[in-house]
Amino acid sequence: MKTLVSGGTVVLENGTCAADVLIGANGTIECVASPGSVAGADEEIDARGLLVFPGMIDGHSHLNDPGNTESEDFYTGTCGAAGGGMTTVLEMPQTIPLVDTLEAFVEKRGIAETKAVVDYGLWGALTIESVSDESAMGAMVSEGAIGFKAFTTDSPEILLIPDNLLRTGLARAAELGVPVGVHCEDQEIITYETARLKKLGRNDPLVNPDSRPPVAEIEAVRRVLLLAEMTGARVHLAHISLPESVELAREAKNRGVAVTVETCGHYFEFTREDTGRIGAYAMCNPPLREAAACAGMWRLLASGAIDTIGSDHSTYTEEEKGTTDFWAMPAGISGIQLLFPFVVGEAIRRGIDPSLLGRMFSANVARVFGLYPRKGVIQPGSDADLTLVEPGAEWVVRSSDLFTKCPGTPYEGHVIRSRVRRTIVRGTTVFLDDGSGPGRITVEPGFGQYLTAGKATASQARPGAGR
Ligand SMILES: [Zn+2]
């Protein structure tokens, strides 16, 4: 069956144009043609008034499966992704067991296979164990790992990796041709500030931003960029929260360092003060920053200095987020279904070109993780992954309308200024919002397919075509 997506504004890598998209029977794009010029489709999807984006790729989500499925699993998490316009998710390794062995990797892949409603790839963890076992990273890559996640700070699931082992792991990842995503915050600074604030008797939501000051991120970014430069590894700076960090990465790129920058939707919108006002559901690592940093991130987004935007969707139960010990509060924001419509609505309001958004949410992510051009672009031969968005459609976030199991989000009550109307994966509609309700999933669990990365050299993987 051939499907024509007609009458929409198609978001290409270098601009937008009025065009129809013909989807072939095999679920790939057959052609992009002038409006009204294609005949012979069996089905037509009316995209008038909608932006037709290449399917969004969330390069950074935590779906908690296996191990913490009371707060999310591969079905609910990918339903949220589909509802938020994501056609692919790349899932992080901090599940139980930690995905730093081949066995854990294969186990998770088997779980995802039966539950996912969008396509998915899996990260491995770069830990003391997976670096010390010389064959572990290679074994995970041979099973399709799209990259490795490392920490310069302790997290509940992964301890920080010492610089010497990070250096070894980066060199190995470079040989294997996959990127390393790094959580950049310096543990010594956090440890010092934590002790100082505890001595003052502090126990409030603001201990999250106050114990993890900007210098902790900036110091770690500098160090990781140095190690990337010395090893030749491709480094993807995860969830960068500060303009200073983006600027450091830009300088490094100009020197030829293979670095890409990811940020998250919440760093554009919420501030340190919001952490105090909202509390548990706004506590995250790195933490929310001052309003000036949000403004700086918008400026850098508009300039094209940010490569990708991920959700860092991290969910917890009401009980976990209900603790009154703010030092023990699990950090993480639920946002997989909101990130894309929020950023698109705000960006368009600010006059930012949709093609820049398409690159950050799709093409650049696909390039970093070796999925391009199968994913990330609307062109003949690519998978027919499309996100149909109504720009300017205003709606108010209610957590109860979202697919996630997580009961709260800092976006609660927020006005979002664009709406995902339909999400199409390989030619099949997986999410449909026809205006009659919050929208529904239209495929069975297990529809999503497992993606493995094509090997890419540092220069091939560098985003920015069309910048
Ligand atoms: Zn994360």
Side-chain angles (χ1 to χ4, degrees):
M1 190 174 81
K2 292 189 180 187
T3 304
L4 188 69
V5 179
S6 65
T9 299
V10 176
V11 180
L12 302 170
E13 274 197 70
N14 295 302
T16 58
C17 69
D20 293 350
V21 180
L22 182 65
I23 301 171
N26 64 356
T28 63
I29 292 168
E30 208 161 288
C31 70
V32 182
S34 308
S37 67
V38 178
D42 306 292
E43 181 200 29
E44 196 161 332
I45 292 171
D46 183 359
R48 281 175 299 173
L50 305 182
L51 289 167
V52 180
F53 278 96
M56 299 298 128
I57 304 171
D58 187 5
H60 190 151
S61 45
H62 301 267
L63 303 186
N64 300 0
D65 195 357
N68 282 309
T69 52
E70 64 288 348
S71 53
E72 204 71 294
D73 62 43
F74 253 97
Y75 179 65
T76 53
T78 55
C79 287
M86 305 289 182
T87 54
T88 294
V89 296
L90 305 179
E91 209 270 340
M92 282 291 175
Q94 294 109 297
T95 37
I96 303 170
L98 183 63
V99 183
D100 64 347
T101 65
L102 178 64
E103 293 69 31
F105 189 90
V106 170
E107 182 196 351
K108 186 192 275 193
R109 192 179 63 192
I111 290 166
E113 207 172 74
T114 63
K115 297 185 183 179
V117 301
V118 301
D119 289 353
Y120 57 94
L122 300 178
W123 288 81
L126 199 155
T127 59
I128 294 171
E129 288 72 23
S130 62
V131 175
S132 303
D133 173 352
E134 283 183 21
S135 65
M137 290 171 67
M140 285 187 268
V141 169
S142 67
E143 290 297 322
I146 50 85
F148 290 94
K149 179 78 184 289
F151 279 74
T152 62
T153 182
D154 289 333
S155 77
E157 305 90 355
I158 303 185
L159 298 183
L160 76 84
I161 187 159
D163 285 351
N164 61 323
L165 286 178
L166 178 56
R167 190 166 64 105
T168 305
L170 286 171
R172 200 167 292 153
E175 280 169 25
L176 293 166
V178 293
V180 176
V182 188
H183 179 129
C184 295
E185 285 185 287
D186 179 69
Q187 184 59 45
E188 280 186 27
I189 293 170
I190 295 168
T191 301
Y192 175 83
E193 291 298 330
T194 298
R196 188 179 68 81
L197 295 171
K198 279 185 172 173
K199 209 178 275 180
L200 295 173
R202 288 275 303 273
N203 177 34
D204 58 89
L206 290 176
V207 300
N208 171 233
D210 293 353
S211 64
R212 313 177 79 95
V215 64
E217 177 176 300
I218 294 165
E219 192 281 336
V221 164
R222 278 187 184 278
R223 187 154 33 102
V224 167
L225 288 172
L226 174 68
L227 295 176
E229 187 162 15
M230 298 192 78
T231 56
R234 287 200 284 128
V235 165
H236 190 55
L237 301 177
H239 47 50
I240 286 300
S241 67
L242 290 162
E244 292 89 335
S245 303
V246 181
E247 296 287 4
L248 285 169
R250 179 147 67 179
E251 287 166 20
K253 266 184 216 176
N254 291 341
R255 293 199 303 276
V257 180
V259 57
T260 45
V261 175
E262 174 200 71
T263 187
C264 305
H266 38 271
Y267 299 121
F268 294 104
E269 180 68 357
F270 299 105
T271 62
R272 173 186 174 278
E273 284 65 35
D274 289 326
T275 308
R277 181 176 58 81
I278 298 167
Y281 289 106
M283 293 174 74
C284 57
N285 298 338
L288 302 173
R289 307 297 191 181
E290 300 294 339
C294 295
M297 293 301 276
W298 274 116
R299 182 176 50 77
L300 288 162
L301 179 151
S303 79
I306 293 169
D307 297 291
T308 74
I309 305 183
S311 71
D312 199 8
H313 181 70
S314 310
T315 57
Y316 296 91
T317 62
E318 197 161 10
E319 194 181 6
E320 287 168 318
K321 281 286 195 184
T323 177
T324 51
D325 177 0
F326 288 98
W327 290 105
M329 179 70 70
I333 283 178
S334 166
I336 202 166
Q337 199 170 341
L338 304 169
L339 164 72
F340 176 63
F342 160 68
V343 172
V344 168
E346 270 307 299
I348 288 175
R349 196 174 67 85
R350 290 164 184 258
I352 291 168
D353 191 309
S355 66
L356 174 61
L357 302 171
R359 294 202 295 278
M360 282 188 299
F361 276 106
S362 189
N364 288 353
V365 197
R367 281 199 170 89
V368 169
F369 297 102
L371 302 173
Y372 190 94
R374 177 179 171 191
K375 304 291 191 189
V377 60
I378 299 177
Q379 68 180 26
S382 294
D383 281 357
D385 292 356
L386 303 172
T387 305
L388 275 53
V389 178
E390 183 182 345
E394 293 197 357
W395 56 288
V396 177
V397 174
R398 283 184 309 195
S399 291
S400 55
D401 287 343
L402 305 175
F403 292 109
T404 179
K405 293 181 184 179
C406 190
T409 168
Y411 293 94
E412 181 75 44
H414 243 59
V415 175
I416 304 265
R417 294 189 175 84
S418 84
R419 188 140 178 111
V420 174
R421 290 300 182 193
R422 187 188 288 261
T423 306
I424 299 172
V425 176
R426 288 174 278 105
T428 298
T429 295
V430 299
F431 169 82
L432 181 63
D433 172 4
D434 56 13
S436 62
R440 64 183 196 278
I441 298 297
T442 51
V443 292
E444 294 299 313
F447 174 82
Q449 283 185 2
Y450 178 60
L451 299 171
T452 60
K455 295 282 162 54
T457 65
S459 62
Q460 284 170 332
R462 192 163 297 155
R467 185 177 298 156

